[in-house]
Short mmCIF file of all heavy atoms in Angstrom, two decimals:
data_model
loop_
_atom_site.label_atom_id
_atom_site.label_comp_id
_atom_site.label_asym_id
_atom_site.label_seq_id
_atom_site.Cartn_x
_atom_site.Cartn_y
_atom_site.Cartn_z
N THR A 1 0.77 -1.21 -0.04
CA THR A 1 0.05 -0.02 -0.01
C THR A 1 0.87 1.31 0.03
O THR A 1 2.07 1.21 0.33
CB THR A 1 -0.91 0.02 1.24
OG1 THR A 1 -0.07 0.11 2.44
CG2 THR A 1 -1.87 -1.22 1.35
N LYS A 2 0.27 2.31 -0.24
CA LYS A 2 0.91 3.73 -0.20
C LYS A 2 -0.09 4.65 0.36
O LYS A 2 -1.24 4.71 0.02
CB LYS A 2 1.31 4.13 -1.68
CG LYS A 2 1.98 5.56 -1.67
CD LYS A 2 3.27 5.44 -1.03
CE LYS A 2 4.13 6.81 -1.23
NZ LYS A 2 3.54 7.86 -0.37
N LYS A 3 0.46 5.44 1.30
CA LYS A 3 -0.38 6.55 1.87
C LYS A 3 -0.71 7.53 0.88
O LYS A 3 0.22 8.04 0.15
CB LYS A 3 0.40 7.11 3.10
CG LYS A 3 -0.35 8.18 3.87
CD LYS A 3 0.29 8.67 5.05
CE LYS A 3 -0.55 9.70 5.80
NZ LYS A 3 0.28 10.23 7.04
N VAL A 4 -2.02 7.91 0.69
CA VAL A 4 -2.46 8.84 -0.28
C VAL A 4 -3.29 9.99 0.41
O VAL A 4 -3.88 9.87 1.50
CB VAL A 4 -3.30 8.15 -1.39
CG1 VAL A 4 -2.38 7.23 -2.15
CG2 VAL A 4 -4.52 7.52 -0.77
N LYS A 5 -3.37 11.13 -0.32
CA LYS A 5 -4.07 12.29 0.29
C LYS A 5 -5.55 12.18 0.02
O LYS A 5 -6.40 12.77 0.72
CB LYS A 5 -3.47 13.61 -0.35
CG LYS A 5 -2.08 13.86 0.06
CD LYS A 5 -1.56 15.14 -0.49
CE LYS A 5 -0.20 15.46 -0.09
NZ LYS A 5 0.41 16.71 -0.73
N ASN A 6 -5.99 11.46 -1.03
CA ASN A 6 -7.44 11.37 -1.39
C ASN A 6 -7.77 9.93 -1.50
O ASN A 6 -8.04 9.43 -2.63
CB ASN A 6 -7.61 12.14 -2.76
CG ASN A 6 -6.66 11.73 -3.83
OD1 ASN A 6 -5.65 11.22 -3.55
ND2 ASN A 6 -7.20 11.72 -5.10
N PRO A 7 -7.97 9.29 -0.35
CA PRO A 7 -8.28 7.83 -0.43
C PRO A 7 -9.57 7.48 -1.04
O PRO A 7 -9.68 6.30 -1.53
CB PRO A 7 -8.18 7.40 1.10
CG PRO A 7 -8.49 8.62 1.87
CD PRO A 7 -7.73 9.75 1.01
N GLU A 8 -10.49 8.46 -1.19
CA GLU A 8 -11.72 8.22 -1.77
C GLU A 8 -11.69 7.93 -3.21
O GLU A 8 -12.63 7.35 -3.89
CB GLU A 8 -12.73 9.34 -1.62
CG GLU A 8 -12.36 10.69 -2.26
CD GLU A 8 -11.26 11.53 -1.57
OE1 GLU A 8 -10.77 11.03 -0.52
OE2 GLU A 8 -10.86 12.53 -2.07
N ALA A 9 -10.53 8.09 -3.87
CA ALA A 9 -10.26 7.85 -5.24
C ALA A 9 -9.62 6.44 -5.49
O ALA A 9 -9.48 6.14 -6.63
CB ALA A 9 -9.40 9.01 -5.90
N TYR A 10 -9.28 5.76 -4.43
CA TYR A 10 -8.59 4.47 -4.54
C TYR A 10 -9.36 3.34 -3.85
O TYR A 10 -10.34 3.55 -3.11
CB TYR A 10 -7.18 4.60 -3.99
CG TYR A 10 -6.32 5.68 -4.59
CD1 TYR A 10 -6.34 7.09 -4.02
CD2 TYR A 10 -5.58 5.33 -5.62
CE1 TYR A 10 -5.60 7.98 -4.67
CE2 TYR A 10 -4.78 6.36 -6.23
CZ TYR A 10 -4.77 7.62 -5.65
OH TYR A 10 -3.93 8.65 -6.29
N GLY A 11 -8.91 2.14 -4.14
CA GLY A 11 -9.25 0.90 -3.22
C GLY A 11 -8.28 1.09 -2.11
O GLY A 11 -7.07 1.20 -2.27
N VAL A 12 -8.78 1.00 -0.92
CA VAL A 12 -7.97 1.09 0.35
C VAL A 12 -8.14 -0.14 1.27
O VAL A 12 -9.10 -0.92 1.02
CB VAL A 12 -8.26 2.44 1.14
CG1 VAL A 12 -8.10 3.64 0.25
CG2 VAL A 12 -9.74 2.38 1.62
N VAL A 13 -7.26 -0.27 2.29
CA VAL A 13 -7.35 -1.42 3.22
C VAL A 13 -8.00 -0.85 4.50
O VAL A 13 -7.71 0.34 4.93
CB VAL A 13 -6.02 -2.04 3.50
CG1 VAL A 13 -5.49 -2.72 2.16
CG2 VAL A 13 -4.99 -0.99 3.96
N ASN A 14 -8.72 -1.74 5.17
CA ASN A 14 -9.23 -1.41 6.46
C ASN A 14 -8.46 -2.24 7.48
O ASN A 14 -8.34 -3.43 7.33
CB ASN A 14 -10.78 -1.74 6.60
CG ASN A 14 -11.39 -1.24 7.94
OD1 ASN A 14 -10.75 -0.61 8.63
ND2 ASN A 14 -12.58 -1.71 8.13
N LEU A 15 -7.82 -1.52 8.47
CA LEU A 15 -6.99 -2.35 9.41
C LEU A 15 -7.71 -2.41 10.76
O LEU A 15 -8.44 -1.56 11.23
CB LEU A 15 -5.60 -1.57 9.59
CG LEU A 15 -4.89 -1.34 8.32
CD1 LEU A 15 -3.71 -0.37 8.61
CD2 LEU A 15 -4.48 -2.65 7.66
N ASN A 16 -7.29 -3.53 11.56
CA ASN A 16 -7.69 -3.62 12.89
C ASN A 16 -6.67 -3.09 13.96
O ASN A 16 -5.76 -2.66 13.48
CB ASN A 16 -8.23 -5.12 13.22
CG ASN A 16 -6.98 -6.08 13.16
OD1 ASN A 16 -5.78 -5.61 13.07
ND2 ASN A 16 -7.26 -7.31 13.09
N GLU A 17 -6.90 -3.36 15.14
CA GLU A 17 -5.94 -2.76 16.20
C GLU A 17 -4.56 -3.43 16.12
O GLU A 17 -3.61 -2.96 16.59
CB GLU A 17 -6.58 -2.89 17.59
CG GLU A 17 -6.86 -4.36 18.06
CD GLU A 17 -8.07 -4.96 17.44
OE1 GLU A 17 -8.79 -4.25 16.76
OE2 GLU A 17 -8.30 -6.22 17.74
N LYS A 18 -4.52 -4.59 15.44
CA LYS A 18 -3.27 -5.33 15.23
C LYS A 18 -2.56 -5.00 13.94
O LYS A 18 -1.61 -5.54 13.60
CB LYS A 18 -3.45 -6.84 15.31
CG LYS A 18 -4.05 -7.32 16.62
CD LYS A 18 -4.31 -8.86 16.54
CE LYS A 18 -4.90 -9.43 17.89
NZ LYS A 18 -5.15 -10.95 17.69
N ASN A 19 -3.06 -3.99 13.30
CA ASN A 19 -2.62 -3.54 11.99
C ASN A 19 -2.69 -4.76 10.99
O ASN A 19 -1.89 -4.84 9.98
CB ASN A 19 -1.15 -3.11 11.99
CG ASN A 19 -1.08 -1.58 12.49
OD1 ASN A 19 -2.01 -0.78 12.24
ND2 ASN A 19 -0.06 -1.26 13.26
N GLU A 20 -3.68 -5.55 11.08
CA GLU A 20 -4.05 -6.60 10.25
C GLU A 20 -5.10 -6.03 9.20
O GLU A 20 -6.11 -5.34 9.61
CB GLU A 20 -4.45 -7.88 10.83
CG GLU A 20 -3.36 -8.52 11.73
CD GLU A 20 -3.93 -9.53 12.59
OE1 GLU A 20 -5.13 -9.77 12.75
OE2 GLU A 20 -3.23 -10.30 13.21
N ILE A 21 -5.01 -6.50 7.95
CA ILE A 21 -5.95 -6.03 6.91
C ILE A 21 -7.29 -6.93 7.17
O ILE A 21 -7.21 -8.07 7.06
CB ILE A 21 -5.57 -6.18 5.52
CG1 ILE A 21 -4.26 -5.39 5.33
CG2 ILE A 21 -6.61 -5.75 4.50
CD1 ILE A 21 -3.57 -5.56 3.99
N ILE A 22 -8.40 -6.27 7.46
CA ILE A 22 -9.69 -7.10 7.64
C ILE A 22 -10.68 -6.85 6.54
O ILE A 22 -11.69 -7.57 6.45
CB ILE A 22 -10.33 -6.75 8.94
CG1 ILE A 22 -10.57 -5.26 9.12
CG2 ILE A 22 -9.35 -7.30 10.08
CD1 ILE A 22 -11.33 -4.89 10.37
N GLU A 23 -10.41 -5.84 5.58
CA GLU A 23 -11.36 -5.54 4.62
C GLU A 23 -10.62 -4.72 3.46
O GLU A 23 -9.74 -3.87 3.67
CB GLU A 23 -12.49 -4.64 5.29
CG GLU A 23 -13.66 -4.38 4.29
CD GLU A 23 -14.72 -3.51 4.90
OE1 GLU A 23 -14.43 -2.94 5.98
OE2 GLU A 23 -15.84 -3.42 4.43
N LEU A 24 -11.14 -4.92 2.23
CA LEU A 24 -10.70 -4.03 1.16
C LEU A 24 -11.93 -3.33 0.71
O LEU A 24 -13.02 -3.85 0.52
CB LEU A 24 -10.35 -5.01 -0.07
CG LEU A 24 -9.09 -5.87 0.20
CD1 LEU A 24 -8.79 -6.73 -1.10
CD2 LEU A 24 -7.85 -5.14 0.56
N VAL A 25 -11.81 -1.98 0.59
CA VAL A 25 -12.96 -1.00 0.30
C VAL A 25 -12.54 -0.27 -0.94
O VAL A 25 -11.53 0.42 -0.94
CB VAL A 25 -13.22 -0.15 1.50
CG1 VAL A 25 -14.40 0.80 1.08
CG2 VAL A 25 -13.41 -0.94 2.68
N GLU A 26 -13.42 -0.42 -1.93
CA GLU A 26 -13.13 0.38 -3.17
C GLU A 26 -13.75 1.74 -3.26
O GLU A 26 -14.92 1.92 -3.02
CB GLU A 26 -13.67 -0.50 -4.43
CG GLU A 26 -13.33 0.04 -5.83
CD GLU A 26 -11.88 0.08 -6.10
OE1 GLU A 26 -11.19 -0.84 -5.56
OE2 GLU A 26 -11.46 0.83 -6.93
N LYS A 27 -12.90 2.76 -3.45
CA LYS A 27 -13.37 4.15 -3.44
C LYS A 27 -14.39 4.47 -2.31
O LYS A 27 -15.51 4.85 -2.67
CB LYS A 27 -13.86 4.47 -4.83
CG LYS A 27 -12.86 4.40 -5.91
CD LYS A 27 -13.41 4.71 -7.28
CE LYS A 27 -12.24 4.54 -8.37
NZ LYS A 27 -12.80 4.85 -9.72
N PRO A 28 -13.91 4.51 -1.08
CA PRO A 28 -14.89 4.67 0.08
C PRO A 28 -15.45 6.08 0.09
O PRO A 28 -14.64 7.07 -0.06
CB PRO A 28 -14.01 4.42 1.26
CG PRO A 28 -12.58 4.67 0.87
CD PRO A 28 -12.53 4.28 -0.61
N GLU A 29 -16.73 6.23 0.29
CA GLU A 29 -17.33 7.53 0.41
C GLU A 29 -17.12 8.12 1.80
O GLU A 29 -16.92 9.31 1.96
CB GLU A 29 -18.82 7.41 0.15
CG GLU A 29 -19.25 6.96 -1.23
CD GLU A 29 -20.75 6.89 -1.43
OE1 GLU A 29 -21.43 7.26 -0.58
OE2 GLU A 29 -21.08 6.51 -2.58
N GLU A 30 -16.95 7.26 2.81
CA GLU A 30 -16.56 7.74 4.14
C GLU A 30 -15.11 7.11 4.43
O GLU A 30 -14.78 6.05 3.93
CB GLU A 30 -17.60 7.22 5.16
CG GLU A 30 -18.98 7.75 5.01
CD GLU A 30 -19.94 7.26 6.10
OE1 GLU A 30 -19.45 6.49 7.02
OE2 GLU A 30 -21.09 7.58 6.09
N TYR A 31 -14.42 7.84 5.26
CA TYR A 31 -12.98 7.53 5.56
C TYR A 31 -12.87 6.16 6.17
O TYR A 31 -13.51 5.82 7.11
CB TYR A 31 -12.44 8.57 6.45
CG TYR A 31 -10.97 8.31 6.73
CD1 TYR A 31 -9.93 8.83 5.86
CD2 TYR A 31 -10.57 7.64 7.92
CE1 TYR A 31 -8.58 8.54 6.06
CE2 TYR A 31 -9.19 7.39 8.13
CZ TYR A 31 -8.23 7.93 7.26
OH TYR A 31 -6.90 7.64 7.52
N VAL A 32 -12.02 5.35 5.56
CA VAL A 32 -11.68 3.96 6.09
C VAL A 32 -10.22 4.01 6.51
O VAL A 32 -9.80 3.63 7.58
CB VAL A 32 -11.97 2.91 4.97
CG1 VAL A 32 -11.41 1.57 5.50
CG2 VAL A 32 -13.42 2.91 4.65
N SER A 33 -9.31 4.45 5.55
CA SER A 33 -7.87 4.52 5.85
C SER A 33 -7.31 5.33 4.71
O SER A 33 -7.99 5.56 3.70
CB SER A 33 -7.23 3.23 6.05
OG SER A 33 -6.88 2.72 4.77
N ASP A 34 -6.08 5.75 4.86
CA ASP A 34 -5.38 6.44 3.78
C ASP A 34 -4.32 5.54 3.10
O ASP A 34 -3.46 5.98 2.38
CB ASP A 34 -4.76 7.67 4.29
CG ASP A 34 -3.76 7.50 5.35
OD1 ASP A 34 -3.40 6.36 5.68
OD2 ASP A 34 -3.21 8.46 5.90
N GLN A 35 -4.52 4.26 3.29
CA GLN A 35 -3.54 3.32 2.69
C GLN A 35 -4.14 2.66 1.39
O GLN A 35 -5.08 1.89 1.47
CB GLN A 35 -3.20 2.21 3.68
CG GLN A 35 -2.41 2.62 4.89
CD GLN A 35 -1.06 3.33 4.53
OE1 GLN A 35 -0.33 2.66 3.65
NE2 GLN A 35 -0.75 4.35 5.18
N ALA A 36 -3.70 3.14 0.22
CA ALA A 36 -4.20 2.71 -1.00
C ALA A 36 -3.49 1.30 -1.48
O ALA A 36 -2.30 1.36 -1.41
CB ALA A 36 -4.08 3.78 -2.13
N VAL A 37 -4.35 0.51 -2.07
CA VAL A 37 -3.70 -0.75 -2.65
C VAL A 37 -3.18 -0.38 -4.02
O VAL A 37 -3.79 0.21 -4.95
CB VAL A 37 -4.94 -1.79 -2.75
CG1 VAL A 37 -4.32 -3.15 -3.56
CG2 VAL A 37 -5.59 -2.09 -1.53
N ILE A 38 -1.86 -0.89 -4.26
CA ILE A 38 -1.14 -0.45 -5.43
C ILE A 38 -1.07 -1.54 -6.46
O ILE A 38 -0.54 -1.29 -7.50
CB ILE A 38 0.24 0.10 -5.12
CG1 ILE A 38 1.16 -1.03 -4.62
CG2 ILE A 38 0.14 1.23 -4.12
CD1 ILE A 38 2.58 -0.57 -4.43
N GLY A 39 -1.62 -2.79 -6.19
CA GLY A 39 -1.59 -3.87 -7.15
C GLY A 39 -0.38 -4.73 -7.01
O GLY A 39 -0.06 -5.42 -8.06
N ILE A 40 0.27 -4.85 -5.94
CA ILE A 40 1.29 -5.78 -5.61
C ILE A 40 1.06 -6.56 -4.38
O ILE A 40 0.77 -5.90 -3.31
CB ILE A 40 2.70 -5.08 -5.57
CG1 ILE A 40 2.94 -4.18 -6.78
CG2 ILE A 40 3.79 -6.08 -5.45
CD1 ILE A 40 4.17 -3.43 -6.74
N TYR A 41 1.13 -7.90 -4.46
CA TYR A 41 0.68 -8.80 -3.34
C TYR A 41 1.67 -9.86 -3.12
O TYR A 41 2.33 -10.40 -4.09
CB TYR A 41 -0.64 -9.45 -3.63
CG TYR A 41 -1.66 -8.56 -4.22
CD1 TYR A 41 -1.68 -8.17 -5.60
CD2 TYR A 41 -2.74 -8.06 -3.37
CE1 TYR A 41 -2.66 -7.28 -6.14
CE2 TYR A 41 -3.77 -7.22 -3.88
CZ TYR A 41 -3.70 -6.79 -5.20
OH TYR A 41 -4.71 -6.06 -5.71
N TYR A 42 1.90 -10.29 -1.82
CA TYR A 42 2.75 -11.47 -1.47
C TYR A 42 1.71 -12.50 -0.80
O TYR A 42 0.95 -12.11 -0.04
CB TYR A 42 3.78 -11.10 -0.53
CG TYR A 42 4.42 -12.30 0.19
CD1 TYR A 42 5.25 -13.12 -0.46
CD2 TYR A 42 4.09 -12.56 1.46
CE1 TYR A 42 5.82 -14.21 0.13
CE2 TYR A 42 4.62 -13.68 2.15
CZ TYR A 42 5.43 -14.49 1.58
OH TYR A 42 6.06 -15.57 2.13
N PHE A 43 1.98 -13.76 -1.22
CA PHE A 43 1.26 -14.88 -0.65
C PHE A 43 2.24 -15.89 -0.20
O PHE A 43 3.13 -16.42 -0.94
CB PHE A 43 0.24 -15.52 -1.57
CG PHE A 43 -0.83 -14.55 -1.99
CD1 PHE A 43 -0.64 -13.73 -3.24
CD2 PHE A 43 -2.05 -14.40 -1.33
CE1 PHE A 43 -1.68 -12.84 -3.60
CE2 PHE A 43 -3.02 -13.55 -1.74
CZ PHE A 43 -2.79 -12.63 -2.77
N LYS A 44 2.15 -16.27 1.05
CA LYS A 44 2.97 -17.27 1.62
C LYS A 44 2.81 -18.59 0.87
O LYS A 44 3.84 -19.37 0.60
CB LYS A 44 2.74 -17.57 3.17
CG LYS A 44 3.72 -18.52 3.78
CD LYS A 44 3.35 -18.82 5.23
CE LYS A 44 3.47 -17.59 6.05
NZ LYS A 44 3.24 -17.89 7.51
N ASP A 45 1.60 -18.89 0.52
CA ASP A 45 1.34 -20.02 -0.38
C ASP A 45 0.26 -19.57 -1.33
O ASP A 45 -0.94 -19.59 -0.99
CB ASP A 45 0.92 -21.31 0.41
CG ASP A 45 0.64 -22.51 -0.54
OD1 ASP A 45 0.88 -22.39 -1.76
OD2 ASP A 45 0.20 -23.55 -0.06
N VAL A 46 0.61 -19.26 -2.52
CA VAL A 46 -0.38 -18.75 -3.54
C VAL A 46 -1.29 -19.75 -3.93
O VAL A 46 -2.40 -19.40 -4.52
CB VAL A 46 0.49 -18.13 -4.69
CG1 VAL A 46 0.95 -19.23 -5.60
CG2 VAL A 46 -0.47 -17.14 -5.47
N ALA A 47 -1.17 -21.03 -3.54
CA ALA A 47 -2.18 -22.03 -3.91
C ALA A 47 -3.45 -21.72 -3.16
O ALA A 47 -4.56 -22.04 -3.65
CB ALA A 47 -1.69 -23.44 -3.50
N GLN A 48 -3.40 -21.12 -1.98
CA GLN A 48 -4.58 -20.66 -1.19
C GLN A 48 -5.35 -19.67 -2.02
O GLN A 48 -6.60 -19.83 -2.04
CB GLN A 48 -4.24 -20.07 0.15
CG GLN A 48 -3.52 -21.07 1.11
CD GLN A 48 -3.05 -20.44 2.29
OE1 GLN A 48 -2.84 -19.22 2.41
NE2 GLN A 48 -2.59 -21.24 3.29
#
């Protein structure tokens, strides 16, 4: 992710108190976070 000034224009992540991603929100009308998804992902086992 990348911190952005206008998160309403992006898909962003919603984090819990452990800084774990619990939700992906596309162009949120209300503030969710300022961390935009940039299209790069790591999977410990991509078979999942």
Side-chain angles (χ1 to χ4, degrees):
T1 64
K2 178 68 173 70
K3 185 176 181 179
V4 294
K5 294 180 179 179
N6 54 330
E8 68 279 1
Y10 300 90
V12 300
V13 296
N14 188 10
L15 304 173
N16 63 14
E17 65 281 357
K18 298 179 182 178
N19 281 326
E20 297 170 350
I21 303 171
I22 56 173
E23 187 181 15
L24 300 177
V25 184
E26 185 66 26
K27 296 182 179 179
E29 295 181 3
E30 297 183 1
Y31 183 83
V32 174
S33 81
D34 58 6
Q35 296 297 319
V37 176
I38 70 171
I40 305 177
Y41 313 81
Y42 163 77
F43 296 90
K44 184 185 294 185
D45 183 3
V46 75
Q48 296 172 346

